[in-house]
Amino acid sequence: MGNTKVYSILVMIMLAWGLNVTALKTLVDHLNPITMSAVRIFIAGTTVLIILALLKKTLFQRDFPWKYIVIISLLGVVCHHLFLAVGIQRTSAVKTSIILGFGPLLTALLSMAFKLSQLTYQKFSGFVLGTVGVILTVLNGAEKVGELQLGDFYIFLSILLQAFSFIFISKASKLINPMILTGYILIIGSIILFAISLIMEPGGFKDFQTINSNVILVLFASAIFATAIGHMLYNTSIKLIGPAEAAIFVNFSTIFALIGAYFLLNEPITLLQMVGCLLIMNGVVVGTSGLKFRNILQSVFSRMKSWVGTNTIK
């Protein structure tokens, strides 16, 4: 698979992940966050295994890298979602988005530290542009951004541990099909989250008896498209182009989250946010250095303009 095709797939994954932010906002308003995450991730892991079974893939082999699978489950599923859920309750959504924006840069630095890729000046410039773009996009005139809270540390810890999980995914994908790897880490991670939810959110499953069908639909859409299919393809991309280069595209999810919030939650788009989006897009171009990818980027930007259409940017 050529890099241009991988880049196109990554853009589509970021679309799903960006819109998933809106979905998660809806879900946490109706369900306990840890219990909801456990159910959502379990549905995703089951979906992955069903898809692989339909594709007649071998779901088990003798030399499974169980050590990597357990480590990735703990870091990328359990710890990431647990600290994210706890942290977002103790800090603002704005600061959460800003801190999450440093995820790609952390992944790149760890990738370099583990000698999985070389962080060139050009790639580093792309990460910096993207990070600045994320900060501008989510600031939106927010006040008291500089005040540190305990939740900020939890959010940072969640993305740091997730970045470590991407490094282990890169190593494990050399030993096992990354799609099969995705299914197992989601299932194992969800089971551990189930156990934690029973302690931290006793009675959390009672909420599932009273929610309406629309919330259930959002839950399954988030689990299947964003988590199951999204992580299957993203982990495959890590194997193909490396964790650092794949991480550059994560900033794109901020743009799509902004678009989703505008159309689905009626949140206004400011000029500062549009400037941030342009910086993110340029950061991806600089970081990937793909001339053909410029055509993809132009297509995405044109689609964004058509989505905004005649709507007034406030």
Side-chain angles (χ1 to χ4, degrees), residues 137-191:
T137 303
V138 301
L139 272 178
N140 194 24
E143 298 179 356
K144 299 182 179 180
V145 173
E147 294 183 3
L148 292 177
Q149 296 173 294
L150 180 60
D152 301 335
F153 172 73
Y154 288 146
I155 299 296
F156 178 79
L157 195 57
S158 76
I159 62 166
L160 177 62
L161 295 175
Q162 186 186 47
F164 270 108
S165 76
F166 291 151
I167 302 302
F168 285 106
I169 287 173
S170 179
K171 292 178 177 291
S173 62
K174 297 177 182 178
L175 306 172
I176 184 178
N177 184 320
M179 293 187 179
I180 298 174
L181 174 69
T182 302
Y184 278 98
I185 63 177
L186 290 175
I187 290 291
I188 294 174
S190 67
I191 292 173

Side-chain angles (χ1 to χ4, degrees), residues 34-49:
I34 300 177
T35 305
M36 179 273 295
S37 296
V39 173
R40 186 174 62 85
I41 294 169
F42 182 80
I43 294 172
T46 304
T47 301
V48 171
L49 296 182

Side-chain angles (χ1 to χ4, degrees), residues 4-219:
T4 302
K5 189 173 182 179
V6 177
Y7 295 161
S8 301
I9 291 173
L10 282 168
V11 171
M12 296 306 298
I13 296 169
M14 294 311 121
L15 171 61
W17 286 4
L19 296 179
N20 192 46
V21 172
T22 301
L24 292 178
K25 285 183 180 180
T26 302
L27 292 173
V28 296
D29 285 341
H30 296 84
L31 301 166
N32 287 293
I34 300 177
T35 305
M36 179 273 295
S37 296
V39 173
R40 186 174 62 85
I41 294 169
F42 182 80
I43 294 172
T46 304
T47 301
V48 171
L49 296 182
I50 291 174
I51 292 174
L52 293 174
L54 292 174
L55 294 174
K56 298 182 179 180
K57 298 289 185 180
T58 302
L59 298 181
F60 186 81
Q61 60 189 53
R62 291 184 178 180
D63 54 344
F64 255 31
W66 289 111
K67 178 180 69 174
Y68 285 134
I69 290 174
V70 172
I71 291 174
I72 296 167
S73 298
L74 290 173
L75 296 178
V77 178
V78 178
C79 292
H80 171 66
H81 287 279
L82 181 62
F83 284 117
L84 186 61
V86 173
I88 201 169
Q89 294 176 331
R90 290 168 170 79
T91 188
S92 68
V94 170
K95 287 199 289 182
T96 297
S97 300
I98 293 174
I99 297 169
L100 290 176
F102 286 96
L105 185 57
L106 283 174
T107 303
L109 294 174
L110 287 175
S111 181
M112 182 180 63
F114 282 86
K115 299 180 180 180
L116 296 177
S117 64
Q118 291 184 343
L119 187 61
T120 63
Y121 173 78
Q122 187 168 359
K123 283 187 177 182
F124 182 76
S125 299
F127 279 112
V128 171
L129 274 175
T131 302
V132 173
V134 170
I135 293 173
L136 291 179
T137 303
V138 301
L139 272 178
N140 194 24
E143 298 179 356
K144 299 182 179 180
V145 173
E147 294 183 3
L148 292 177
Q149 296 173 294
L150 180 60
D152 301 335
F153 172 73
Y154 288 146
I155 299 296
F156 178 79
L157 195 57
S158 76
I159 62 166
L160 177 62
L161 295 175
Q162 186 186 47
F164 270 108
S165 76
F166 291 151
I167 302 302
F168 285 106
I169 287 173
S170 179
K171 292 178 177 291
S173 62
K174 297 177 182 178
L175 306 172
I176 184 178
N177 184 320
M179 293 187 179
I180 298 174
L181 174 69
T182 302
Y184 278 98
I185 63 177
L186 290 175
I187 290 291
I188 294 174
S190 67
I191 292 173
I192 299 174
L193 278 176
F194 275 130
I196 295 175
S197 69
L198 294 176
I199 299 173
M200 298 187 66
E201 296 173 350
F205 286 96
K206 293 181 180 179
D207 292 335
F208 285 89
Q209 300 174 3
T210 58
I211 58 176
N212 59 50
S213 57
N214 289 333
V215 177
I216 292 293
L217 185 62
V218 171
L219 177 66

Side-chain angles (χ1 to χ4, degrees), residues 258-313:
L258 181 67
I259 295 172
Y262 179 76
F263 285 102
L264 301 176
L265 300 177
N266 296 318
E267 294 184 5
I269 299 176
T270 67
L271 179 60
L272 184 64
Q273 289 172 326
M274 290 300 294
V275 172
C277 289
L278 290 174
L279 285 176
I280 291 172
M281 297 167 80
N282 279 282
V284 174
V285 171
V286 172
T288 55
S289 307
L291 295 177
K292 291 182 179 180
F293 180 65
R294 291 178 184 273
N295 297 329
I296 300 173
L297 196 61
Q298 290 172 357
S299 175
V300 172
F301 186 53
S302 298
R303 192 173 296 275
M304 283 180 59
K305 293 202 305 186
S306 68
W307 282 337
V308 175
T310 58
N311 294 303
T312 302
I313 299 176

